[in-house]
Amino acid sequence: MPAFSPDDPLNIRLELESVPTGSPASEVARQLVSLLTAGDLAPGSRLPAERVLAERLGVGRSAVREALAALEILGIVQIRPGSGTYLQGGTSDLLPTTLSWGLMLASDRTRELLEIRSSLERTAAILAAQRATPEQLDELQTYLDRQHDALDDPDAFIDADVRFHVLLARSADNAVLADLLQSLRSMLSVWVERRVQTRQATEAAYDEHRAIHEALRTGDVAAVQQAMDAHMATASARLENAGPVAGP
């Protein structure tokens, strides 16, 4: 097991296997989770640089970056710009998360994940129709405006799209529900290409979000549910048909 230096100042010794060609970033995440929960690394340990991990795994740096970003959302690592990526918590703290990863990262669970996500998004929207504050509705409008301004910029559109859904979940005033939705989004983003690439796709998504927001403004629970159901149907179809993300 080779030690990595000087990129690895703690001389972390990694035993990683090359990722098969075309394998999604979830395989990178799986190996990293196994490494980080083996008990050999203390909380706060710095991981080798993305370049080193990519070389060792035989994948593009974008696959490593995507896997690390998902692990950060899940609280397994912390990415400090200009410094590196660090392990958070001990093995016992990470165990519940790794159990979830074992279930969620299986590529044949796509449909099941999307069904759960759709159900939770619907529940969040219904609760938000009853509990959202005027300030939260105004903030949702801000993200809608950002989507409209980014119809020809897929990356910016996706950012506003995600922020819209995160705030919508928070507006339901149910922390457990919001956390579950965030975890599901993270799991899906590890291996499913979520990007809308065409003007037609961004316009469709924008119109769906606008319908949800208009229903929320009126507090019409039935209309909110109908609008979210319509959005989840098209969004889930796009996700399921996109297939796994492969490294470059």
Side-chain angles (χ1 to χ4, degrees), residues 171-244:
S171 300
D173 194 25
N174 185 313
V176 173
L177 177 60
D179 288 345
L180 285 172
L181 275 168
Q182 185 61 33
S183 294
L184 280 170
R185 291 189 201 98
S186 302
M187 298 299 178
L188 288 166
S189 70
V190 171
W191 60 275
V192 177
E193 178 57 71
R194 298 183 301 123
R195 297 185 177 182
V196 283
Q197 299 290 350
T198 66
R199 171 76 181 225
Q200 181 180 7
T202 55
E203 286 182 345
Y206 168 73
D207 288 341
E208 291 161 12
H209 287 129
R210 185 176 60 181
I212 293 169
H213 186 257
E214 289 176 353
L216 286 171
R217 285 282 192 192
T218 65
D220 187 334
V221 173
V224 168
Q225 180 174 341
Q226 183 178 5
M228 181 58 79
D229 284 345
H231 177 49
M232 284 293 101
T234 56
S236 294
R238 182 172 65 247
L239 287 169
E240 191 166 10
N241 293 332

Side-chain angles (χ1 to χ4, degrees), residues 75-218:
I76 295 177
V77 301
Q78 179 184 32
I79 300 175
R80 304 175 189 171
S83 178
T85 302
Y86 297 81
L87 175 64
Q88 292 201 130
T91 302
S92 60
D93 298 327
L94 298 177
L95 182 58
T97 299
T98 56
L99 290 175
S100 297
W101 273 84
L103 169 67
M104 299 297 189
L105 285 179
S107 59
D108 60 354
R109 298 295 178 92
T110 315
R111 179 178 56 79
E112 288 91 341
L113 282 171
L114 292 173
E115 287 176 349
I116 294 171
R117 180 203 172 195
S118 296
S119 179
L120 293 180
E121 290 279 10
R122 182 187 305 112
T123 300
I126 291 172
L127 292 176
Q130 302 167 344
R131 302 174 180 175
T133 66
E135 291 77 18
Q136 288 170 328
L137 292 174
D138 288 343
E139 190 173 357
L140 284 170
Q141 180 64 57
T142 298
Y143 294 135
L144 263 182
D145 293 341
R146 291 186 187 180
Q147 290 176 47
H148 182 268
D149 293 341
L151 291 175
D152 293 312
D153 185 346
D155 289 338
F157 184 92
I158 292 165
D159 180 71
D161 182 328
V162 170
R163 291 177 186 276
F164 180 93
H165 279 278
V166 169
L167 178 58
L168 178 60
R170 290 177 180 167
S171 300
D173 194 25
N174 185 313
V176 173
L177 177 60
D179 288 345
L180 285 172
L181 275 168
Q182 185 61 33
S183 294
L184 280 170
R185 291 189 201 98
S186 302
M187 298 299 178
L188 288 166
S189 70
V190 171
W191 60 275
V192 177
E193 178 57 71
R194 298 183 301 123
R195 297 185 177 182
V196 283
Q197 299 290 350
T198 66
R199 171 76 181 225
Q200 181 180 7
T202 55
E203 286 182 345
Y206 168 73
D207 288 341
E208 291 161 12
H209 287 129
R210 185 176 60 181
I212 293 169
H213 186 257
E214 289 176 353
L216 286 171
R217 285 282 192 192
T218 65

